[in-house]
């Protein structure tokens, strides 16, 4: 065998072994426990009495045929272990209808938090044959409140935080898109506002309405490197905490996967966001 032929075959063998190893690692990451990502966000206007208010943030769970009920049970168990004040599910919960996947969502009924669990739609909820409404109703039965271009007050230690949620931009074509004016209009002056919005790109509109912090998902952190670079061409933030147009936005990488059950360089995540003044 010539030296050139030997080197060519050796290089091909190494590349093949590396590819198999990478996919194997990516599958174990995608199908394993999410990592817990603690993050402290300082909001200049935050009432000091709200110091330490904690949000368990999860997105892109993507319940589907490949996940099984164990996926949901694991996420619920990990969130409950955080003992958060608020649970925020920021879109892309499912990839199918209630008839197909309702049983996989049932463990969400066991979510625990001081002030409740909240949900906003992601683009995949609009891919469901029946649309997002059936999931909004189903989640309500499970004790998870959907914020459909609306807000609630979170009262904590004598102070109040506005928690708002807007629909995903994927609902625009069906007349069910985000309405920031409805969700954020008429707020009490000086009160801090946290917005749940599935896609980071929605932060530009949030800035026009004086939001202090936006919690988002959608990107999967790129899911498989180097796709994080491609995602960055569309979304201002791919993962982590950043400031856009004067608004802080935290993007969680998501706890599930879409497409192949592989995650490389972007492990699944549940975020624990703590507010500080």
């Amino acid at each position: 065998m010539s030296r050139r032929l030997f080197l060519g075959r050796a290089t091909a063998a190494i590349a093949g072994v590396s590819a198999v190893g990478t996919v194997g690692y990516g599958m174990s990451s995608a199908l394993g426990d999410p990592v817990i990502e603690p993050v402290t966000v300082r909001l200049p206007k935050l009432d000091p009495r709200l110091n330490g208010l904690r949000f368990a943030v999860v997105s892109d769970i993507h319940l589907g045929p490949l996940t099984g009920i164990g996926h949901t049970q694991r996420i619920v168990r990990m969130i409950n272990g955080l003992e958060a004040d608020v649970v925020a599910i920021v879109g892309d919960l499912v990839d199918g209808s209630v008839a197909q996947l309702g049983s996989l969502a049932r463990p969400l009924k066991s979510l625990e938090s001081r002030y409740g669990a909240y949900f906003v739609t992601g683009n995949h909820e609009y891919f469901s044959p029946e649309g997002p409404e059936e999931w909004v109703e189903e989640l309500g039965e499970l004790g998870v409140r959907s914020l459909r271009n609306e807000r609630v007050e979170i009262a904590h230690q004598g102070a109040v935080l506005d928690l708002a949620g807007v629909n995903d931009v994927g609902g625009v074509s069906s007349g069910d898109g985000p309405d920031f004016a409805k969700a954020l209009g008429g707020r009490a002056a000086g009160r801090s506002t946290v917005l749940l919005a599935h896609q980071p790109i929605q932060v530009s509109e949030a800035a026009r309405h004086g939001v202090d912090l936006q919690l988002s998902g959608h990107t999967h952190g790129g899911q498989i490197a180097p796709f994080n670079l491609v995602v960055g061409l569309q979304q201002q933030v791919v993962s982590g905490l950043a400031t856009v147009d004067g608004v802080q936005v935290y993007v969680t990488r998501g706890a599930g996967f879409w497409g192949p059950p592989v995650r490389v360089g972007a492990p699944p995540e549940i975020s624990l966001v703590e507010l500080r003044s």
Side-chain angles (χ1 to χ4, degrees):
M1 184 184 297
S2 69
R3 184 172 181 273
R4 178 178 295 178
L5 180 58
F6 172 78
L7 289 175
R9 290 182 176 179
T11 300
I14 292 170
V17 170
S18 297
V20 171
T22 300
V23 170
Y25 164 79
M27 290 184 67
S28 66
S29 175
L31 298 172
D33 285 1
V35 299
I36 301 297
E37 290 284 359
V39 58
T40 299
V41 181
R42 298 192 177 276
L43 303 180
K45 296 189 331 188
L46 188 72
D47 189 311
R49 291 173 293 178
L50 294 171
N51 266 328
L53 190 70
R54 303 193 309 164
F55 288 73
V57 183
V58 64
S59 76
D60 303 277
I61 296 174
H62 287 290
L63 296 180
L66 293 180
T67 61
I69 196 169
H71 180 58
T72 325
Q73 292 170 334
R74 176 171 53 238
I75 290 169
V76 169
R77 169 178 53 79
M78 295 182 71
I79 288 176
N80 289 349
L82 298 176
E83 298 182 344
D85 298 300
V86 179
V87 174
I89 306 172
V90 285
D92 280 7
L93 171 65
V94 295
D95 283 316
S97 66
V98 170
Q100 296 168 319
L101 304 174
S103 61
L104 302 187
R106 211 154 290 145
L108 296 175
K109 190 170 186 178
S110 299
L111 280 171
E112 299 172 359
S113 63
R114 184 182 295 185
Y115 302 124
Y118 299 89
F119 168 78
V120 291
T121 56
N123 54 307
H124 279 245
E125 272 71 52
Y126 295 94
F127 298 160
S128 176
E130 304 299 326
E133 288 297 337
E134 66 165 1
W135 277 110
V136 168
E137 183 177 341
E138 181 73 8
L139 288 172
E141 294 291 328
L142 298 175
V144 179
R145 176 170 176 176
S146 296
L147 296 178
R148 307 274 285 151
N149 296 323
E150 58 186 318
R151 69 177 180 273
V152 295
E153 295 182 345
I154 303 296
H156 178 71
Q157 298 184 155
V160 177
L161 175 85
D162 282 326
L163 177 64
V166 290
N167 298 349
D168 184 65
V169 294
V172 171
S173 60
S174 59
D176 194 47
D179 188 334
F180 286 83
K182 181 180 178 182
L184 298 166
R187 307 196 310 278
R191 185 184 293 175
S192 292
T193 303
V194 173
L195 174 70
L196 309 183
H198 178 60
Q199 298 194 38
I201 199 171
Q202 294 174 275
V203 70
S204 296
E205 187 65 25
R208 299 187 184 98
H209 290 83
V211 167
D212 299 275
L213 171 65
Q214 177 175 309
L215 301 175
S216 297
H218 182 65
T219 66
H220 296 207
Q223 187 165 319
I224 304 174
F227 290 118
N228 54 310
L229 303 178
V230 178
V231 174
L233 298 176
Q234 184 201 28
Q235 303 286 340
Q236 299 99 315
V237 186
V238 177
S239 66
L241 182 65
T243 300
V244 179
D245 296 335
V247 176
Q248 293 190 79
V249 53
Y250 182 79
V251 180
T252 184
R253 294 188 301 265
F257 56 86
W258 184 74
V262 176
R263 296 189 70 133
V264 177
E269 167 187 339
I270 296 171
S271 307
L272 182 62
V273 177
E274 183 174 322
L275 303 185
R276 290 283 173 183
S277 59

